[in-house]
Structures are given as structure tokens and as C-alpha cells.
Amino acid sequence: MSYGSRVTSAPPAVPRPYTLIAELTYRCPLRCPYCSNPVDLAAYRAELSTDEWRRVFREAEELGVVQLHLTGGEPLARKDLADLAACARELGLYVNLVTSGIPLTRGRLTELADAGVDHVQVSVQASDAALADAVAGYEGHAQKLAVMRWVKELGLPLTMNVVLHRANLEREGEIDALVAIAESVGADRLELANTQYVTWALANREALLPTREQIERAAAAAAPHKERLRGVMDVLFVKPDYFGTTPKACMDGWARRFVQVVPDGRVVPCHAATSITTLRFDNVRDRALGDIWASSEALLAYRGEAWMPEPCRSCDRRTVDFGGCRCQAFALTGDASAVDPACQLAPARASIEAAHVAAPATGSERRYLFRGAQPSR
């Protein structure tokens, strides 16, 4: 990366979002220790109604959104899920259901496909059933495999998503085994996504953070599968921030291409944004989505380049990584405008190095602070 004279930036133009992430609920039967749900779940009980979500979908389509992720928590906890998928289909939106597959029957999945679901993403915690169920805090691994087969039997595209961490990466041959599962169920895409240490994952970081050797071994194992399955199944290995030297383009930039609405109606740029307690996020119950997208102080706070400190502002990567992750910066420094510690030049880079030192040795007993009970309606 190179650095030049200080760059002055004009106020950012209002970009067009192409994806709406609709977090329909934070309710979920699983208790994954890396969950991206807020730690203070009790503050999120007032879910948007069916009609409110329908209005949000319409306003998102008017903004230019073409893709919708129905997620949570567990979106299957919403009894109106098929009605919401049907509304999205009427608007011409491509609908992706992001689910644990629990609770789900083949009949309900058929109903959802008929209503408007175009693609399904199913989470898997590990290749081994006992470990997967232990990480999820729920005996659901066998159900997940069945759900993925149903998805393909119904002719829908399928993504299998796996969050990688010390517990599954320390198993010999884990990546090969996960690829084998994905092939056996006919997945079109396998996402091997390393844990992002914010919210619950940050609270459980010592138990979840893998060693550098585990990461290198996993990346090396994934690479030949990516080549072997090219054109058949996409194999994506997402490198973890804690083991790199430059940050990633989190959500393709703050409030730039993704707009997200959380269960109580607040509009945020990403899953963990409500963890930034110094920002106040506007609510679709008070203002139209388009108005919030264009003028919300929270969404404007880190959109564009004017907010960037040095060395970000004069870095030639600023239009590549957009300054990295604001939630991670806040989690590690208490300042959302700080340089993302994932960058090797960040003043707070030592906070990541210290996390590696604090992580227990391989094979040590793991103690998770499991995500607490879900809010109920």
C-alpha cells in the first residue's frame, strides 16, 4: 500500500443499495457462542409486524434493492414467513432464506418455496454431529443435513455455511469432511467463514480463536477443493481478520450497498452495528426507509471517506477496503472511527496480537459464554 498527500473528500453521494437484510427476529433455538445477535437481547422484544415488514420491502424496492435476505435469529420462528416471501416475490425481489433449518418440515419448506423463496442458506456447526450439536447448544445436526437435501430435491440453490473456530479447526481433516458433506447434499456453494469477533464471539474469543497453524492448515486444505469443484460448487474460504495484515471491505463499505433492518425496525449497515453504542439508529416506524438511507446521521457517519483518520485517508486501499470494520474498531478501541486494528498500521494493532497471546493452548478445555435465552413475543 502507498501513502500520499492528505485527500479531501466531498460529502458522499447517496449510493443505491442492492440488498436488504431483513432480520425478522432474534428468537432462535440455537445458542451458538459466536452468534451475531446483540448481547443485550432483552432490549429487542418489539418485532415489526407483518404489515410493517411489507412496507419496508416496498420501500426497499423503490430504493433500488433487488435482493432480500430473510434472516434472524431464526426466521422460521416467524409464522408469517411465507406471507413475507410472497410479498417479496410480488415486488420482484430475489429471496434468500438464511436459516439453521430448525424447526422446519419438508411441507413448510415446500410452502416457502412456492411462496417466493429462491435460495436457501443453511448453517452447519461442524462435520461431526456431536461437536456440531455441542457448539450449537442444540441437537440439530441430523436435521440440518435433511433440510439441505430437501432444498435440493425442491430444485432450489443451496449454500452451506460453516463458521470456523478453534473447536472445529482443531479436528484433523475437518475441511475435507465439511466439503464431503457439502458434496453429499448437492450444495451449490460452501462458505467456510472464519469467526468475526464482535458481540457474542468477542465475549467468547479466548475459547473460539484458533491458532495460526490451524488457519494455515485449513486454507491449504480448502484450496484444492476450490479448484477441483470449480464450475460444480463454489468453495469460499473467508480469511479471518485476526490473521491478516489489511482489513477486508466489511459489507462492501458502511451503508454503501447493503441496508439492514433489525427486528425492532432500526436501520443499520450490518449485523453487529447496534453494538456501537455511540450511534443512534433511526427506525422505520418513525421514518421511511428511503429517507433514513439518504439522511440518517448514523448511516452517514462512516459512508464515504471524509470520516477516515490517517493512515486510512491517504492509503491507496481506501477504495478497496473502505476503512475496514467499524464494529471491530469500536469493540477493540471504544472508538468506531478508529483505524481497524486488523490493519498492520493501526495504532491499536497490539490489541489483536494480545488476543493471540491470551488464547489457550490447543486442546485446552473450552468454556463458552453461551448466548442467553431469546426474547419472546
Side-chain angles (χ1 to χ4, degrees):
M1 63 187 77
S2 63
Y3 306 94
S5 59
R6 184 178 180 87
V7 176
T8 57
S9 302
V14 179
R16 169 186 167 179
Y18 64 80
T19 299
L20 168 65
I21 301 174
E23 286 192 289
L24 302 178
T25 181
Y26 284 140
R27 290 173 286 155
C28 181
L30 274 57
R31 301 172 60 236
C32 305
Y34 48 76
C35 182
S36 63
N37 282 0
V39 174
D40 56 336
L41 286 171
Y44 297 87
R45 295 181 182 275
E47 296 176 7
L48 295 181
S49 68
T50 306
D51 286 342
E52 286 172 323
W53 274 118
R54 285 175 176 147
R55 176 174 60 79
V56 169
F57 294 173
R58 288 194 299 272
E59 293 176 355
E61 192 276 334
E62 291 169 0
L63 263 178
V65 163
V66 296
Q67 183 171 267
L68 170 66
H69 296 327
L70 298 175
T71 182
E74 176 47 66
L76 294 171
R78 292 278 304 215
K79 295 180 180 179
D80 58 357
L81 187 57
D83 291 336
L84 294 177
C87 173
R89 170 170 287 177
E90 291 173 2
L91 292 167
L93 301 177
Y94 184 89
V95 180
N96 177 30
L97 175 63
V98 182
T99 178
S100 68
I102 300 167
L104 186 62
T105 63
R106 176 160 180 158
R108 190 179 184 199
L109 180 61
T110 301
E111 177 190 13
L112 291 169
D114 291 342
V117 169
D118 297 295
H119 175 277
V120 180
Q121 175 178 309
V122 178
S123 62
V124 173
Q125 279 68 32
S127 64
D128 176 74
L131 176 58
D133 292 343
V135 171
Y138 186 97
E139 293 185 10
H141 184 71
Q143 164 78 2
K144 290 169 177 284
L145 301 186
V147 167
M148 289 192 289
R149 294 189 179 98
W150 297 341
V151 170
K152 294 307 298 179
E153 289 168 3
L154 291 173
L156 294 176
L158 169 68
T159 293
M160 176 174 138
N161 174 271
V162 185
V163 176
L164 300 177
H165 47 80
R166 176 179 292 243
N168 49 28
L169 287 178
E170 70 183 9
R171 289 178 54 84
E172 188 71 28
E174 177 68 0
I175 298 299
D176 294 334
L178 289 168
V179 172
I181 290 176
E183 288 187 273
S184 73
V185 298
D188 301 279
R189 180 180 174 91
L190 171 62
E191 293 180 351
L192 301 168
N194 280 278
T195 304
Q196 179 78 355
Y197 294 99
V198 292
T199 64
W200 284 100
L202 182 62
N204 288 303
R205 186 175 62 184
E206 284 192 18
L208 294 171
L209 188 66
T211 65
R212 188 171 298 278
E213 291 72 23
Q214 288 172 339
I215 291 296
E216 292 174 351
R217 185 173 67 237
H225 291 299
K226 181 180 179 69
E227 291 303 315
R228 177 177 64 86
L229 294 169
R230 190 178 300 276
V232 177
M233 178 173 69
D234 292 330
V235 178
L236 177 66
F237 184 87
V238 181
K239 295 180 180 179
D241 286 351
Y242 275 46
F243 295 87
T245 57
T246 58
K248 294 193 287 291
C250 185
M251 301 299 287
D252 199 20
W254 180 275
R256 183 171 174 269
R257 291 288 180 257
F258 291 84
V259 58
Q260 183 158 336
V261 180
V262 302
D264 68 359
R266 278 179 280 182
V267 181
V268 299
C270 67
H271 289 82
T274 56
S275 66
I276 302 177
T277 56
T278 52
L279 293 177
R280 176 190 174 278
F281 294 98
D282 292 287
N283 197 303
V284 294
R285 284 174 165 146
D286 304 320
R287 300 170 60 192
L289 181 62
D291 183 30
I292 295 173
W293 178 255
S295 62
S296 165
E297 289 186 11
L299 298 189
L300 290 174
Y302 306 113
R303 181 185 285 165
E305 301 175 14
W307 64 272
M308 292 183 180
E310 293 292 357
C312 299
R313 184 174 288 205
S314 57
C315 178
D316 60 3
R317 286 185 54 85
R318 69 185 183 280
T319 58
V320 177
D321 60 35
F322 306 104
C325 180
R326 297 301 89 217
C327 300
Q328 185 162 261
F330 183 80
L332 296 179
T333 73
D335 179 4
S337 64
V339 179
D340 185 346
C343 179
Q344 62 183 340
L345 301 176
R349 176 70 181 188
S351 62
I352 284 182
E353 303 302 335
H356 290 295
V357 174
T362 302
S364 300
E365 181 181 359
R366 290 175 297 275
R367 295 186 180 278
Y368 298 133
L369 173 64
F370 276 108
R371 179 173 48 71
Q374 288 296 285
S376 59
R377 292 181 69 179

